[in-house]
Amino acid sequence: MRKLIRSFGFAFKGVAYATATQLNFRIHLGATVLVILMGYLLHISMSEWLWIALSVTLVLVAEIFNTMIETLTDLVSPGYNEKAGHIKDMSAGAVVIAAIFALVTGLIIFLPKLLLLF
């Protein structure tokens, strides 16, 4: 049981590291708070909450993987390396794809509800 508890501690330490060191991760967390607030205020359905949860999780996980890949790449290739640059670019690209998915999902869910308010 102690091993399990320690492993969760390490996991939360990793999330804390990403939060403390990565501006984009903090931006995504801020967007998460905004989306949760909007969902609450606009009374979105259970299925809409599931899509929001999937979108938020996908973006945050992608951002953490991006940080992992960039950190590891810097560790194994501290000097300039064209292939290392491509790896980092692709990692960032994965975050962009996840963020676009989240944006489109948010627009599909929130835009009709916001338009009804005006």
Side-chain angles (χ1 to χ4, degrees):
M1 187 66 168
R2 278 193 178 144
K3 274 186 156 181
L4 179 64
I5 292 170
R6 281 188 67 197
S7 68
F8 275 101
F10 293 136
F12 288 120
K13 187 177 174 182
V15 173
Y17 176 81
T19 304
T21 63
Q22 302 301 308
L23 174 62
N24 287 342
F25 191 77
R26 291 192 301 272
I27 290 169
H28 292 305
L29 286 175
T32 297
V33 171
L34 179 65
V35 165
I36 290 170
L37 182 62
M38 284 180 56
Y40 175 77
L41 293 174
L42 294 173
H43 306 287
I44 64 175
S45 70
M46 182 63 70
S47 63
E48 291 169 329
W49 275 116
L50 291 172
W51 282 104
I52 294 297
L54 174 65
S55 298
V56 165
T57 301
L58 184 63
V59 171
L60 294 177
V61 168
E63 190 64 55
I64 285 180
F65 271 104
N66 180 49
T67 300
M68 291 166 35
I69 291 167
E70 287 186 353
T71 302
L72 186 58
T73 302
D74 290 343
L75 180 65
V76 299
S77 183
Y80 175 77
N81 182 307
E82 186 176 352
K83 287 184 180 182
H86 292 315
I87 289 168
K88 291 170 85 170
D89 292 345
M90 287 185 289
S91 178
V95 177
V96 169
I97 292 168
I100 290 170
F101 172 79
L103 176 64
V104 170
T105 301
L107 288 173
I108 290 168
I109 291 171
F110 291 120
L111 195 57
K113 292 172 180 8
L114 290 171
L115 290 175
L116 285 175
L117 295 175
F118 298 105

